[in-house]
Amino acid sequence: MQQIRGGRSAGFTLVELLVVISIIGVLIGMLLPAVQQVREAARRTQCANNLRQQCLAMLNYEASQQKFPPGYTVPANTMWSAFILPHIEQGNLFEKIDLDGPWGAHALASQENIDALSVFIPIFRCPSSGIPRVQFDPFIQADRTPSCYLACASGNNNRESGDRPWVGMNRDGDLEASDGIFYLNSSIPIDDILDGTSTTVLIGESLPDQDVTGIDYSGNSQKIDHWYIGSRELHFYENIPSDSAESSECLGSTACPVNSWRDDLAPINDRELSFGSAHPTGINLGFADGHVDFIENRIDSVTYSAIGTRFGREVVNDF
């Protein structure tokens, strides 16, 4: 009878298994940042596409009305975004609302106007933002859908409280002298953009974060909140005890540094009115010729201010 000799069975030792697991862990660790970068690049592209569609909607509105929509209207407090709804495939919603307002928390507000404030419109949401789908607003007394985009009102003014001029007006109250395209009851035709449509900002992204609060130049508590379609509190400066406005709900300014919302030391007005994003290195801006550029955080402040004005006659360097 032949004897079967014992032998060592094939397989991994514990040490070898641990080495393999470690190598796999290192490879996954190297791969995850690359995957995250690809995903963020896709989100940034989608955000730019949102802006491009909004800019084209603005241009379509201007072509039909011979003027851009108002930044917001008074006394209705209807925002620029409401006027372009038919041009972003939201015609059914547009037909239901009353552009003459009022909006929420008002005895005369229609249910259609109140309901419109909570409708989720993807074109107004940056996919990188990570903000809630809806948030409760005590001034409206209902859920509202935050917006990630502001129309550009100025390249020089950086406040909506305290000493004037404020964004959307000038020191003398001559609204026609506002240096941006959008402001209270504005009606700017494309021919009034003397600085060139390719270097004048129409719309930019801005990240709402209601957890960011502060005291404004008039001593009032404020938070970073951006919305679309309509509001109740945009126009406050006729109320002397308040001495502040809420134009930052739908308007922004390139006089405020890029991504000021991230700066804990910045005044709350800068943080509210600044264009900003959750993208790591900058923001998307849409221009009056319809194109979109990604603007780095390190953009020169003089150039950044210049692209927010429509008639400053500045020479804008490549950005």
Side-chain angles (χ1 to χ4, degrees):
M1 181 176 180
Q2 186 177 4
Q3 184 178 4
I4 300 176
R5 296 181 179 180
R8 181 180 176 185
S9 61
F12 289 110
T13 66
L14 179 60
V15 173
E16 290 171 331
L17 183 61
L18 290 175
V19 169
V20 171
I21 292 174
S22 299
I23 292 173
I24 293 173
V26 170
L27 293 175
I28 291 175
M30 295 172 62
L31 182 62
L32 280 178
V35 172
Q36 291 172 346
Q37 289 178 5
V38 170
R39 288 178 175 174
E40 168 53 26
R43 290 192 292 263
R44 197 177 93 180
T45 299
Q46 179 58 52
C47 177
N49 187 55
N50 289 346
L51 265 175
R52 190 172 295 107
Q53 292 182 60
Q54 292 174 57
C55 288
L56 292 177
M58 286 280 198
L59 291 169
N60 287 335
Y61 181 97
E62 197 280 338
S64 63
Q65 303 294 325
Q66 286 74 59
K67 60 184 179 182
F68 287 105
Y72 65 92
T73 62
V74 166
N77 284 330
T78 301
M79 300 173 175
W80 58 269
S81 46
F83 294 90
I84 65 170
L85 288 175
H87 303 285
I88 56 171
E89 299 183 347
Q90 292 293 329
N92 290 338
L93 179 61
F94 182 79
E95 292 298 325
K96 292 180 180 178
I97 64 176
D98 183 356
L99 294 177
D100 293 330
W103 303 93
H106 192 292
L108 299 179
S110 69
Q111 191 60 48
E112 289 78 9
N113 275 15
I114 295 173
D115 292 344
L117 302 183
S118 63
V119 173
F120 179 74
I121 304 175
I123 197 175
F124 293 128
R125 176 64 55 90
C126 171
S128 293
S129 65
I131 60 177
R133 188 180 180 96
V134 295
Q135 292 179 304
F136 182 77
D137 181 16
F139 284 98
I140 297 295
Q141 294 181 1
D143 286 337
R144 300 178 72 180
T145 303
S147 174
C148 293
Y149 303 96
L150 302 176
C152 187
S154 179
N156 294 312
N157 298 339
N158 65 344
R159 58 174 61 203
E160 57 180 358
S161 62
D163 294 338
R164 300 180 185 179
W166 296 347
V167 168
M169 62 177 291
N170 78 344
R171 189 177 300 277
D172 299 322
D174 179 6
L175 298 175
E176 293 300 326
S178 180
D179 61 297
I181 296 176
F182 301 98
Y183 51 92
L184 189 157
N185 293 334
S186 57
S187 57
I188 299 298
I190 200 167
D191 290 343
D192 279 4
I193 303 176
L194 305 182
D195 289 348
T197 57
S198 64
T199 54
T200 302
V201 178
L202 273 183
I203 310 168
E205 58 175 321
S206 188
L207 194 67
D209 187 346
Q210 295 197 58
D211 292 331
V212 176
T213 61
I215 304 300
D216 69 14
Y217 297 114
S218 296
N220 300 308
S221 178
Q222 302 291 350
K223 61 185 178 182
I224 302 179
D225 56 338
H226 308 316
W227 313 100
Y228 52 70
I229 297 181
S231 185
R232 179 176 174 264
E233 52 178 340
L234 287 170
H235 187 58
F236 270 5
Y237 53 77
E238 290 179 348
N239 184 354
I240 295 175
S242 172
D243 197 30
S244 63
E246 289 295 328
S247 59
S248 61
E249 288 197 358
C250 64
L251 301 180
S253 171
T254 61
C256 305
V258 176
N259 276 316
S260 291
W261 71 274
R262 300 177 187 266
D263 184 358
D264 293 337
L265 300 179
I268 189 63
N269 271 197
D270 273 12
R271 303 182 79 178
E272 288 184 283
L273 290 163
S274 71
F275 294 105
S277 77
H279 309 307
T281 59
I283 60 172
N284 286 306
L285 292 180
F287 291 78
D289 65 347
H291 89 278
V292 175
D293 268 337
F294 187 76
I295 306 299
E296 299 284 345
N297 291 329
R298 54 187 171 82
I299 184 174
D300 172 74
S301 61
V302 174
T303 301
Y304 187 55
S305 172
I307 62 178
T309 67
R310 72 178 192 275
F311 55 31
R313 301 289 191 174
E314 308 96 338
V315 176
V316 176
N317 296 321
D318 182 27
F319 55 91

